[in-house]
Amino acid sequence: MEQIQNLTIDGKMQLAEQGRDKDLDMLVNDESYYVRRVVAIQGRNQDLDILVKDESGDVRCEVATHGRDQDLDVLVNDKDWEVRREVAKHGRNKDLDVLVNDENWAVRREVAVQGRDKDLDILVNDKDWAVRREVAVQGRDQDLDILVNDKVWDVRYEVAKQGRDKDLDILVNDKVWDVRYEVAKQGRDQDLDILVNDENWVVRCEVARQGRDKDLDILVNDNDSGVRHTVARYGREKDLDILVNDEDVIVLAGLILHRRSKDIEKVKTRIKNGEFNNIPSRDEKMTLDNIKNIIKEFKNKEKEKDDDFER
């Protein structure tokens, strides 16, 4: 016993992790909650019987993770919200009946995660948007009918992810670009027809990623380099033929990944002619260096092929 008491906290924690009964019998009452928490992790019934009433919320939370009914019966009313949230994760009906009205939003959100209909009926109108967003994640039609008009865009974003046609019909014109971006990801033709001309470049990038020819025909000439980069990454031959002359190295970085010989030669010549000598930003200079490395790698491989042929 004296030897154990002389150990550092880290030493005691390591000892507890070994799970030997005679050590746990002593360490369950250790003065450090770090040590007692490790004891709780071991999950011995006799230890949990003691630690369920521990002064440390971290220890009680660890007790809750084991999901013993007698512990959850106590901890459902714990003063620390982290403990109550852990109780909710076990999904016992009698606990959820209490915690659906918990004062802490994180606990109520965990109740929503459990997906009980009667809880979602309440939480769809929760005062906290994070709870309502989790309700949207559950994807019940009656909830989405309400949340599609939620005042917080994060909630509407989650509604868009569910991909219901009637929601997308509304959200394609949402005032927040993040929501319209998620609509674009769903790939409906009627939405892409609108969003190809969206004011936000991130939305137009997602339209380009969908790869419809009629969108790429427009976006290859987009005024934003990020959009043109996305078009280049898609790799249509006729787009690459245009973008090889682009003035932005960000675009060329997407184009060069396809390693077309004629593009390699064209970009190499442009670099040699000094077209990019006055690049202002450090990031663009790094991008140009990456392009040069790809060109060099390509040339080396071509040389190796020639050498192999000659041999």
Side-chain angles (χ1 to χ4, degrees), residues 52-311:
V52 67
K53 299 177 181 178
D54 197 273
E55 64 182 14
S56 168
D58 288 345
V59 175
R60 298 193 306 277
C61 196
E62 199 58 56
V63 172
T65 63
H66 293 284
R68 299 196 314 168
D69 284 334
Q70 63 264 43
D71 298 331
L72 298 181
D73 289 342
V74 174
L75 298 175
V76 66
N77 296 307
D78 197 271
K79 64 180 181 180
D80 287 356
W81 67 265
E82 294 95 339
V83 177
R84 301 194 304 275
R85 181 179 62 180
E86 193 60 42
V87 172
K89 288 181 180 180
H90 291 282
R92 297 198 312 171
N93 285 327
K94 62 180 178 179
D95 297 331
L96 299 179
D97 289 343
V98 174
L99 298 174
V100 67
N101 296 308
D102 198 272
E103 64 182 7
N104 184 275
W105 66 268
V107 177
R108 300 194 305 276
R109 182 177 64 180
E110 187 56 44
V111 173
V113 170
Q114 303 304 312
R116 296 197 313 172
D117 285 335
K118 65 178 180 178
D119 297 330
L120 298 177
D121 289 342
I122 297 172
L123 298 174
V124 66
N125 296 307
D126 196 90
K127 63 183 180 180
D128 193 282
W129 65 266
V131 177
R132 301 194 305 275
R133 182 178 64 181
E134 187 56 47
V135 173
V137 170
Q138 304 305 310
R140 296 197 315 169
D141 285 335
Q142 60 266 46
D143 299 329
L144 298 178
D145 289 343
I146 296 171
L147 298 174
V148 67
N149 296 308
D150 198 273
K151 62 183 180 180
V152 177
W153 72 263
D154 302 71
V155 179
R156 301 194 304 275
Y157 177 90
E158 200 58 54
V159 172
K161 288 178 69 174
Q162 301 301 314
R164 297 197 313 170
D165 285 333
K166 63 180 178 179
D167 297 331
L168 298 178
D169 289 342
I170 296 171
L171 298 174
V172 66
N173 295 308
D174 197 272
K175 62 183 179 181
V176 177
W177 71 262
D178 305 70
V179 178
R180 302 194 304 274
Y181 166 79
E182 187 56 43
V183 172
K185 288 177 68 175
Q186 304 302 313
R188 296 197 315 167
D189 285 335
Q190 61 265 48
D191 298 329
L192 298 178
D193 288 342
I194 296 171
L195 298 174
V196 66
N197 297 308
D198 197 270
E199 64 181 7
N200 185 276
W201 71 272
V202 179
V203 177
R204 299 197 304 277
C205 274
E206 185 53 44
V207 174
R209 288 190 193 97
Q210 299 299 315
R212 298 196 312 170
D213 285 332
K214 64 180 180 178
D215 297 330
L216 296 174
D217 289 342
I218 296 171
L219 298 174
V220 67
N221 296 307
D222 197 271
N223 61 8
D224 188 276
S225 61
V227 177
R228 300 196 306 279
H229 170 87
T230 304
V231 174
R233 289 291 297 266
Y234 197 81
R236 293 197 312 171
E237 296 288 328
K238 64 179 181 179
D239 295 332
L240 299 180
D241 289 342
I242 295 172
L243 296 173
V244 71
N245 298 304
D246 203 278
E247 296 180 356
D248 199 305
V249 293
I250 301 298
V251 179
L252 297 180
L255 169 135
I256 211 72
L257 293 174
H258 298 285
R259 291 171 169 79
R260 298 197 309 173
S261 295
K262 61 181 179 179
D263 295 336
I264 295 285
E265 291 299 329
K266 181 66 177 288
V267 174
K268 179 182 176 182
T269 299
R270 293 182 63 192
I271 292 173
K272 281 188 173 181
N273 290 339
E275 290 189 34
F276 306 105
N277 287 349
N278 296 319
I279 290 178
S281 77
R282 181 169 175 265
D283 287 344
E284 287 178 313
K285 290 177 181 177
M286 291 176 62
T287 299
L288 183 59
D289 287 340
N290 289 334
I291 292 173
K292 291 177 180 178
N293 288 335
I294 291 175
I295 293 174
K296 186 181 297 183
E297 173 191 322
F298 179 85
K299 288 298 182 181
N300 287 338
K301 288 184 178 179
E302 289 294 306
K303 186 176 184 302
E304 289 175 4
K305 289 180 182 179
D306 291 341
D307 290 344
D308 288 341
F309 178 75
E310 290 178 2
R311 282 197 292 268

